[in-house]
Amino acid sequence: MADPADPFGTAALRASVLAGWRDSPTRFREDANAEDDLRVGGYRDRLLVELAQNAADAAVLASAEGVLWLRVADSAEGPELRIANTGAALDADGVAALASLRASAKRAGHQVGRFGVGFAAVLAATDAPRVVSTSGGVRFSAERTRKAADRDGEVPVLRLVWPVAEDEDPVPDGFATDVRLPLRSDIDAAALLDESAAQAADLLLALPGLTELRVGERSWRRVDHDATVDIHGPSGVGRWLLHRCQGVLTAEQTALLGVESRARPEWSVCWAVPVDGDGVPLPVDESEVLRAPTPTDERLSLPARLFATVPLEPSRRRLLPGPAAEAVLAAAAREYPTLVVRLAAEHRTALVPRPGFPRSDVDGTLRDAVLTELTMAAWLPSAGSDVRAPAGSVVLAAPDAGLAAALAEVVPGLLAWWLAQPRHAGALATLGVPRLAAERVVEAVSGVDRPPGWWTELYAALGRWLAEDSGIAEALGALPVPLADGRTAIGPRDVLLPSAELGSTAELAELTGEVIGLRLAHPDVVHPLLTRLGARAADAEDLLDSPPIREAVERSLADAESGADLTTLTNTVLTLVRSSAARPGERSWLSALALSDVDGEPRRADELVLPDAPLLAVLAADAVGPDGPLGVLAAEFADRWPAEVLRAIGVVDSFAVVADESPSGPDHDLADEDEWWSWTARPQRSPHPPTLIGVRDLDLVDPDRWPDAIRLLAGSPETARALADPAGYPAWWLARYARLDGLPPREWRLAGATELAGLYDPVSDKLGTDGLGLDQRVLAMVGVRSRLAVANADDARDLLDRLGDPKREMPVGAALRAHAALAEALRAGTIEPDEVEAPERVRTLAGVAVSAEQAAVLDRPWLLGLLADDQVVAANPDPAADSVADPAAQSDVERLADLLNVALASEISADAVIESTGEPMDWSALPAVRLACELLGAAPPAGSVVLHEELVVRGDGQSRRVRWWIDGDGQPHAEDSAEGLARALAWSLGRWSDRWTFAGLIAEPDASALLG
């Protein structure tokens, strides 16, 4: 019979413990150490967690709604934390468990906790806890334990238990038990309540037996729904999606566990993920840990919270490795896909663990297992109406509903189109779901038989994809294209997309039946995507330009010579040329089309001349005929087809123009093209011409018919434009190889080009405007010289030959101008001395041609006084130059001497000396000089001039009287005359071109001399 004052038999419990301490002196210390380990180890910071877990167990045991209430009450000793809970009341077994550090009163099947010793967590706040229940109450006290055990210092508080005082406050109404903890002085009661409030929602989620948790006046309540739990709290409602399951461990799995754990082999797992009001999963806390079911130190990185009754180490902080833990974690992983499926399909990938370093060993193991289960379970929506496992599935590389609809029947395992959106990419990549690249799309649709409408839908979807990602264009290059004849083309390139103007598919097939390789798309699959991928619109012009037709044209001559009938091909090509309004030269390859000549033999079109062509009148007799390079087109073609159509394919009626915008070499079958190409590659030119405009068949002209041929060339706009470029091939060739009165045009001059008199003869009068209509402009275009110019080394060589020809009579000015033109060409880099062989004879001031060894190039004007006119070679000085002492002009003279291989006058007169004696006079002291300078706006030179009555210079073994001289020191000398003084003055002022004006003003020092 129980003692009413001690209903739980605490006296017997105390006696047993005290006896044990007395009988085993170490037992006391073991108990103290064990309790201390629990206080500072497994149960540190777990006061609310452990009491809430006990409250949940009590509610489950009594099949009651679990409610936990925390509040602070005042007592004589100070503030006291009180925790009331509903459910089963305290009983004797429970009291015995409270007073034992190594045993639990909990039983299998209904309680969450494992150890039953979590009550030790109260020691973090108090050393005199009390438990008051509707069935009675007990208390513990460190102070009373010291007295009972006759010990000082630290003692095990929870080993000796006493009944509560008779005046103990009763349990609050509606509650079964109230744990009362007088707080130590270092505990902040308000802070303790706030910490508890922060854990309220998590505890309600972790402990199914607990329905409501109150902290002071604040309250949190869990409301369960079918698959979700709502936590109603002071700040609102938080919703969680849950999946719970449970099971039993086998004996083999629990073999390494403790006795009590083996007696309770049941396990439970709960996966939870927070969601918003629309069911969208929310991120879990970055500091998430495994909960068993209360928090451990095992950090997790999964996007859902895990509650699992895994075995823990005695510290209750870490997982206890072994078969039991492995079994529970494996079960948790197996159940994870069920949680995922409970989400709306569009949100499921949010629960796929992301790659990264595991946060713990448990995290790594669990994450790998979860990914394995997710990979094999069916939970991803397919492009059809079912769900699929990630394994064996494939997702589009671009989110397009139309593309998915088109491919659903031909791509096994294709997932819903919206799973290709970027927000799902990371999850699917983690699961190993490959993206359906454009290459695989092409593979999937290759060989399938679908109606045209299916292909146009596919092309439309692929077109949208290509607009977003131009990088797939290459992969789509092999996209099948249904053709009009029922075949399928591999790749759109060179497929022709028929336009309505070409007629029906049957008509197109008949038109191109003879052309091997011509590919016409089915009219109902024409789509802009095919054009972007290389297909071409098939109007007349595009069809004409199709590679198969071009190839057929290019091999037509060989086919004709082998006996093939080319009627269909020639009619097709000529029809398309007429429809496209092609112009001559636009498609040079058309000139390879084989047509018949008047002898019935096949020839290339560009080797045929129209029967009435004016070109026939100027060609040589052997140029046209069976053995000639040209033939006359058969009448059947000339009569049936318009001349402009025949000219468009290369048949000629006049000289034909050959154009190449990017020539790479002399490969255009033009006469002497190699020579012209080398000529264009001179150092002063680019390596090759940027554009070639040539004229064919110039070498076939009858030498006696060149005037007519030139008129024909000038009369055609195309050939006239080709002649307009003096550096172009036609002008170059005609200037050298055409014949006017037996000579090339470049060896004639225009009648009006008088500055060339003596150098070149005027073109014959019979070729003038009264004859064949070759006016001056046309003659100049074909190379007849119109002015003195040195455009290239050929011009320089020709000019030097003519200057050195003693048979030619020419004005003195012609030689001066010719030498000046040569010097200018040297200065501009148009010619280089090493390009031109030095002449044996040169033309002098006397107008005669002398040996180059006897001549000297005048480089100092005062040296004229020592040299004979038939010895001096000179260039006409530039009238715009201030002085022949100008550095550029002096360089021109030196270049000319180098070109002619003739000595400079200064070199052969280097030993000349002044023999006469003069009187130095300051320039400013000479009145006539001052007046002349003032009238011409110049100041008299600084320094002096040496005046001589007669200025005599000795050089080359003889003495000569000269008008002026500059000695080796640069001192000017002059005879006392207007001419001598004026030259020395002009030279000293750097105004050589004004020497005649100075002479006039010095001779007649009056302003009227300047004006009269």
Side-chain angles (χ1 to χ4, degrees):
M1 183 100 179
D3 182 357
D6 186 12
F8 301 119
T10 61
L13 295 174
R14 290 194 304 278
S16 173
V17 172
L18 289 170
W21 287 349
R22 288 193 301 272
D23 295 342
S24 177
T26 61
R27 182 62 181 272
F28 176 84
R29 182 48 48 203
E30 290 174 355
D31 287 348
N33 290 344
E35 185 176 278
D36 188 62
D37 288 343
L38 293 174
R39 180 175 60 82
V40 302
Y43 296 100
R44 72 179 187 278
D45 303 328
R46 299 173 70 89
L47 171 61
L48 177 60
V49 170
E50 293 299 333
L51 294 179
Q53 184 168 288
N54 289 339
D57 290 339
V60 171
L61 188 62
S63 299
E65 181 180 73
V67 181
L68 186 68
W69 181 26
L70 284 76
R71 72 270 186 215
V72 175
D74 294 327
S75 68
E77 291 77 16
E80 183 175 270
L81 179 64
R82 294 187 174 184
I83 307 99
N85 64 267
T86 58
L90 185 65
D91 58 15
D93 289 341
V95 172
L98 290 174
S100 173
L101 297 177
R102 300 172 180 83
S104 173
K106 298 181 180 181
R107 296 294 176 259
H110 53 74
Q111 289 159 304
V112 180
R114 278 293 185 222
F115 297 96
V117 292
F119 188 69
V122 302
L123 297 178
T126 186
D127 56 7
R130 306 191 307 283
V131 181
V132 181
S133 184
T134 54
S135 57
V138 295
R139 61 179 175 169
F140 301 88
S141 170
E143 183 61 33
R144 296 186 69 172
T145 298
R146 292 188 190 95
K147 291 180 181 179
D150 192 18
R151 303 270 183 164
D152 294 326
E154 295 293 333
V155 295
V157 177
L158 301 182
R159 291 294 281 127
L160 298 183
V161 57
W162 286 270
V164 294
E166 292 183 359
D167 60 350
E168 183 74 38
D169 291 343
V171 176
D173 291 341
F175 292 90
T177 304
D178 198 18
V179 177
R180 296 169 180 177
L181 309 177
L183 299 176
R184 292 196 301 270
S185 59
D186 61 336
I187 301 299
D188 184 340
L192 189 60
L193 287 182
D194 288 341
E195 290 175 7
S196 300
Q199 303 176 59
D202 287 347
L203 287 172
L204 290 174
L205 191 65
L207 303 171
L210 200 61
T211 302
E212 183 179 357
L213 194 153
R214 305 174 191 167
V215 179
E217 300 301 321
R218 291 170 288 181
S219 175
W220 288 263
R221 186 172 184 82
R222 189 183 75 250
V223 178
D224 295 326
H225 302 287
D226 289 341
T228 59
V229 165
D230 289 342
I231 305 296
H232 296 258
S235 60
V237 180
R239 175 163 293 180
W240 291 74
L241 182 71
L242 300 182
H243 171 58
R244 300 182 189 274
C245 62
Q246 60 187 13
V248 179
L249 297 171
T250 65
E252 291 79 10
Q253 293 166 342
T254 61
L256 300 180
L257 300 180
V259 174
E260 293 186 352
S261 295
R262 292 198 301 273
R264 296 189 300 276
E266 300 85 3
W267 58 264
S268 65
V269 164
C270 175
W271 285 105
V273 62
V275 295
D276 64 14
D278 296 323
V280 179
L282 304 174
V284 297
D285 197 296
E286 286 290 327
S287 60
E288 189 58 57
V289 296
L290 172 65
R291 299 165 189 265
T294 50
T296 69
D297 288 346
E298 301 289 0
R299 297 188 64 201
L300 298 181
S301 61
L302 296 170
R305 178 172 292 177
L306 174 61
F307 302 91
T309 54
V310 292
L312 301 176
E313 293 178 347
S315 67
R316 302 196 70 189
R317 298 289 175 174
R318 294 289 181 185
L319 184 76
L320 179 64
E326 293 172 0
V328 177
L329 292 180
R334 284 195 304 273
E335 296 297 326
Y336 193 83
T338 304
L339 172 74
V340 174
V341 171
R342 291 188 173 183
L343 282 171
E346 62 269 24
H347 304 313
R348 292 174 184 174
T349 58
L351 294 191
V352 176
R354 296 301 188 261
F357 290 108
R359 295 180 180 174
S360 66
D361 290 342
V362 173
D363 185 39
T365 300
L366 186 58
R367 190 172 62 186
D368 289 346
V370 165
L371 285 174
T372 298
E373 295 294 335
L374 284 176
T375 301
M376 304 309 296
W379 57 276
L380 286 173
S382 72
S385 58
D386 58 349
V387 292
R388 290 188 48 82
S393 294
V394 63
V395 67
L396 294 175
D400 190 289
L403 183 59
L407 298 178
E409 299 178 5
V410 297
V411 177
L414 183 63
L415 297 176
W417 69 270
W418 48 264
L419 283 170
Q421 295 170 340
R423 65 190 180 98
H424 302 290
L428 296 182
T430 301
L431 296 169
V433 177
R435 296 171 69 82
L436 189 65
E439 293 89 343
R440 288 199 56 194
V441 171
V442 172
E443 292 175 6
V445 301
S446 296
V448 302
D449 183 14
R450 291 293 186 276
W454 183 89
W455 288 101
T456 53
E457 291 179 5
L458 175 66
Y459 295 156
L462 292 177
R464 293 189 292 269
W465 185 4
L466 183 60
E468 295 294 329
D469 181 8
S470 60
I472 69 169
E474 182 177 355
L476 297 181
L479 187 66
V481 181
L483 301 181
D485 60 2
R487 295 176 298 127
T488 299
I490 304 303
R493 184 168 298 280
D494 297 327
V495 170
L496 299 179
L497 308 178
S499 59
E501 67 185 40
L502 291 180
S504 67
T505 303
E507 291 172 332
L508 289 172
E510 180 179 356
L511 181 65
T512 59
E514 296 292 327
V515 181
I516 299 173
L518 189 61
R519 304 190 302 173
L520 283 169
H522 192 289
D524 294 338
V525 302
V526 174
H527 190 275
L529 172 70
L530 301 179
T531 304
R532 182 170 180 182
L533 295 177
R536 293 186 295 125
D539 58 15
E541 188 165 341
D542 291 319
L543 186 59
L544 181 63
D545 287 333
S546 64
I549 286 186
R550 177 168 179 169
E551 292 168 7
V553 168
E554 291 174 342
R555 67 170 181 269
S556 62
L557 183 60
D559 291 344
E561 290 175 342
S562 65
D565 183 1
L566 299 183
T567 302
T568 300
L569 176 64
T570 54
N571 288 340
T572 298
V573 171
L574 291 170
T575 298
L576 293 174
V577 168
R578 181 172 56 188
S579 300
S580 64
R583 293 183 297 276
E586 275 187 339
R587 298 172 178 84
S588 59
W589 54 269
L590 283 172
S591 61
L593 182 65
L595 301 174
S596 295
D597 65 9
V598 292
D599 298 316
E601 295 298 323
R603 279 182 180 259
R604 288 171 54 98
D606 59 359
E607 295 177 359
L608 291 168
V609 184
L610 291 175
D612 56 352
L615 180 65
L616 293 173
V618 300
L619 294 180
D622 59 354
V624 181
D627 299 324
L630 297 177
V632 177
L633 181 67
E636 61 177 299
F637 287 102
D639 295 341
R640 177 180 176 187
W641 298 100
E644 61 269 19
V645 172
L646 295 171
R647 284 196 296 267
I649 65 169
V651 177
V652 295
D653 65 346
S654 184
F655 290 100
V657 173
V658 176
D660 187 348
E661 294 183 357
S662 302
S664 58
D667 51 5
H668 304 86
D669 294 329
L670 298 173
D672 306 296
E673 185 180 1
D674 287 343
E675 183 182 349
W676 172 77
W677 193 268
S678 299
W679 178 77
T680 65
R682 303 295 171 86
Q684 67 273 19
R685 301 181 182 274
S686 58
H688 57 76
T691 302
L692 180 145
I693 304 295
V695 175
R696 273 184 39 197
D697 305 327
L698 295 176
D699 57 327
L700 303 182
V701 173
D702 186 331
D704 296 330
R705 304 295 294 172
W706 267 113
D708 291 332
I710 292 173
R711 185 180 60 169
L712 191 60
L713 285 165
S716 166
E718 291 81 8
T719 51
R721 281 194 296 269
L723 288 177
D725 181 6
Y729 168 82
W732 173 88
W733 195 94
L734 290 169
R736 287 159 178 78
Y737 297 106
R739 288 294 181 269
L740 297 177
D741 221 13
L743 295 175
R746 66 198 301 263
E747 295 191 17
W748 297 101
R749 68 173 174 87
L750 298 179
T754 55
E755 65 174 343
L756 297 175
L759 290 169
Y760 297 92
D761 298 329
V763 70
S764 300
D765 291 340
K766 68 178 181 179
L767 298 176
T769 55
D770 295 333
L772 297 175
L774 297 179
D775 60 22
Q776 302 287 301
R777 181 184 63 84
V778 173
L779 289 172
M781 289 173 64
V782 300
V784 176
R785 297 183 183 270
S786 61
R787 60 188 179 87
L788 179 60
V790 180
N792 48 61
D794 289 343
D795 285 349
R797 285 189 289 267
D798 183 60
L799 194 56
L800 290 175
D801 289 345
R802 292 173 182 273
L803 287 169
D805 184 358
K807 297 178 181 180
R808 285 190 172 274
E809 295 183 4
M810 63 185 67
V812 174
L816 289 173
R817 288 189 294 272
H819 288 140
L822 289 167
E824 172 60 28
L826 288 166
R827 179 198 298 180
T830 304
I831 61 173
E832 298 292 339
D834 59 1
E835 289 186 290
V836 181
E837 184 178 356
E840 295 181 0
R841 304 180 71 83
V842 295
R843 186 74 58 164
T844 67
L845 286 179
V848 296
V850 301
S851 171
E853 296 177 353
Q854 301 173 6
V857 175
L858 182 67
D859 59 331
R860 299 290 187 268
W862 58 87
L863 298 179
L864 274 173
L866 293 182
L867 302 175
D869 286 352
D870 62 357
Q871 185 183 7
V872 177
V873 175
N876 187 31
D878 182 359
D882 289 336
S883 169
V884 293
D886 176 70
Q890 190 62 30
S891 296
D892 287 349
V893 171
E894 294 171 357
R895 292 189 188 97
L896 180 61
D898 186 24
L899 176 71
L900 301 177
N901 195 22
V902 172
L904 292 169
S906 60
E907 294 173 346
I908 66 174
S909 303
D911 57 350
V913 295
I914 299 174
E915 291 186 328
S916 60
T917 301
E919 180 182 357
M921 296 288 291
D922 287 341
W923 285 107
S924 59
L926 300 173
V929 168
R930 289 200 308 272
L931 178 60
C933 288
E934 196 277 331
L935 288 173
L936 292 181
S944 63
V945 59
V946 179
L947 293 179
H948 296 254
E949 189 71 26
E950 287 187 356
L951 178 56
V952 179
V953 177
R954 183 174 182 82
D956 198 20
Q958 56 182 334
S959 298
R960 291 195 181 190
R961 181 180 175 180
V962 298
R963 292 184 177 182
W964 69 294
W965 194 264
I966 304 294
D967 65 23
D969 296 326
Q971 174 66 47
H973 296 256
E975 69 175 10
D976 192 4
S977 66
E979 291 78 5
L981 199 57
R983 283 171 170 77
L985 176 62
W987 181 267
S988 298
L989 287 175
R991 295 179 62 162
W992 183 246
S993 59
D994 291 332
R995 59 192 181 277
W996 304 112
T997 306
F998 277 121
L1001 292 174
I1002 291 173
E1004 189 178 347
D1006 189 280
S1008 60
L1010 182 66
L1011 300 174

